[in-house]
C-alpha cells in the first residue's frame, strides 16, 4: 500500500480521511498514517483514522516516499503551505471520490493535489490545474478551464465554457453562467449568480451578483 498523510487536523482533515477510506473501499491502496498540523501537539487524536504526527518541520524531515493531501479549507493557506513543502520525498495525489460522474474521462486534464468530494459531476473537455477543492455536489460544465488553488464549495454550479484563474472561492450553491471569465482572487458569495465579468481580488454577492465593498 502507498503511505499517505493529511496536512490539517481540523474538520476538513477528518472529511478527507473519510474520502481516503471511501477510495480504499472502491479499490484504492492508500495507507493513511496520520495527520500533520501546526497548531495541535504530537499525539493528539484527530479521529478514528489517526493522530497528529508532527508539524511542518516534521514533514520537511520525512526521508521516505509519502503522499500528502493538504486539507485546509482556505485556498490562500493551501498555496502558502505548498510553497513551504520542498521535500523531494513528498508527492501530492489527486483524491477523487468514487461517486464522481465523469462525462468523458478521455478529455479531462488534471494537475496534482486536487480534492474532489462526493456526488460531483464533471463534463467533457475540462481542464483542472493544481490544488483545487471541489466540494460535495459541485457541477463543472463542458469546456471549463480551472486554474490553481481554487475552492468550489458545496453545490456550486459552473455552466459551460467558463475560465477560472487562481485563488478564487465560489460559495455554497453559487452559480457562474456560461462563457464567463473569472480572474484571480474573486470571492462569490453563497447562493449568488455571477452574470458579469468580475474584478480581481473582489467579493460579489447576490442575484445577479454585484461587487460588495466591505
Amino acid at each position: 500500500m502507498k503511505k499517505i498523510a493529511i496536512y490539517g487536523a481540523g474538520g476538513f482533515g477528518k472529511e478527507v480521511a473519510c474520502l481516503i477510506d471511501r477510495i480504499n473501499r472502491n479499490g484504492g491502496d492508500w495507507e493513511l498514517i496520520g495527520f500533520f498540523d501546526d497548531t495541535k501537539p504530537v499525539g493528539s487524536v484527530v479521529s478514528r483514522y489517526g493522530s497528529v504526527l508532527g508539524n511542518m518541520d516534521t514533514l520537511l524531515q520525512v526521508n521516505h516516499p509519502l503522499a500528502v493531501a493538504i486539507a485546509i479549507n482556505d485556498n490562500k493557506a493551501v498555496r502558502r503551505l505548498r510553497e513551504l513543502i520542498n521535500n523531494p520525498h513528498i508527492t501530492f495525489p489527486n483524491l477523487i471520490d468514487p461517486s464522481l460522474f465523469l462525462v468523458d474521462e478521455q478529455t479531462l486534464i488534471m494537475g496534482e493535489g486536487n480534492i474532489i468530494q462526493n456526488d460531483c459531476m464533471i463534463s467533457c473537455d475540462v481542464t483542472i490545474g493544481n490544488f483545487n477543492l471541489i466540494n460535495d455536489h459541485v457541477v463543472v460544465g463542458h469546456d471549463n478551464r480551472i486554474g490553481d488553488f481554487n475552492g468550489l464549495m458545496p453545490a456550486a454550479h459552473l455552466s459551460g465554457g467558463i475560465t477560472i484563474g487562481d485563488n478564487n472561492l465560489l460559495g455554497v450553491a453559487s452559480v457562474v453562467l456560461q462563457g464567463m471569465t473569472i480572474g484571480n482572487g474573486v470571492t462569490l458569495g453563497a447562493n449568488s449568480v455571477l452574470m458579469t465579468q468580475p474584478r480581481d481580488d473582489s467579493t460579489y454577492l447576490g442575484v445577479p451578483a454585484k461587487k460588495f465593498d466591505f
Side-chain angles (χ1 to χ4, degrees):
M1 299 182 76
K2 298 174 292 186
K3 294 183 183 298
I4 189 170
I6 296 170
Y7 204 105
F12 185 43
K14 294 179 183 181
E15 290 185 342
V16 172
C18 296
L19 169 60
I20 292 170
D21 182 60
R22 291 195 300 274
I23 292 171
N24 282 342
R25 285 188 275 113
N26 284 268
D29 61 347
W30 294 113
E31 178 190 353
L32 178 56
I33 65 170
F35 300 79
F36 290 90
D37 195 278
D38 292 312
T39 62
K40 296 183 179 181
V42 173
S44 300
V45 176
V46 179
S47 73
R48 68 184 182 90
Y49 294 106
S51 58
V52 175
L53 304 171
N55 56 18
M56 176 63 73
D57 290 338
T58 312
L59 182 62
L60 293 179
Q61 296 172 24
V62 168
N63 61 3
H64 57 82
L66 179 64
V68 171
I70 302 179
I72 306 292
N73 200 2
D74 178 335
N75 49 356
K76 294 179 181 178
V78 173
R79 178 182 282 274
R80 290 194 297 268
L81 289 170
R82 174 63 187 92
E83 291 172 349
L84 291 172
I85 301 173
N86 56 10
N87 186 334
H89 297 290
I90 304 301
T91 57
F92 303 96
N94 295 312
L95 296 179
I96 302 173
D97 194 277
S99 63
L100 173 66
F101 175 47
L102 189 55
V103 172
D104 186 2
E105 182 177 358
Q106 297 301 313
T107 60
L108 174 64
I109 300 172
M110 187 181 298
E112 65 175 6
N114 297 288
I115 296 174
I116 301 178
Q117 293 280 44
N118 57 287
D119 297 315
C120 294
M121 189 280 279
I122 297 177
S123 191
C124 54
D125 293 293
V126 170
T127 299
I128 298 173
N130 306 304
F131 297 95
N132 296 286
L133 166 60
I134 299 178
N135 222 311
D136 308 345
H137 305 284
V138 168
V139 173
V140 178
H142 64 86
D143 298 289
N144 275 282
R145 302 289 180 266
I146 300 173
D148 304 330
F149 301 100
N150 296 290
L152 280 63
M153 295 298 100
H157 281 56
L158 306 182
S159 300
I162 293 169
T163 299
I164 297 177
D166 304 333
N167 301 309
N168 300 288
L169 177 63
L170 307 184
V172 174
S174 60
V175 176
V176 181
L177 296 189
Q178 63 272 9
M180 298 296 302
T181 296
I182 298 174
N184 304 308
V186 173
T187 297
L188 180 61
N191 294 301
S192 298
V193 179
L194 188 64
M195 302 174 64
T196 57
Q197 179 75 33
R199 296 181 182 179
D200 288 359
D201 303 309
S202 300
T203 297
Y204 287 79
L205 304 173
V207 183
K210 297 184 183 298
K211 189 173 181 295
F212 182 82
D213 295 315
F214 291 93

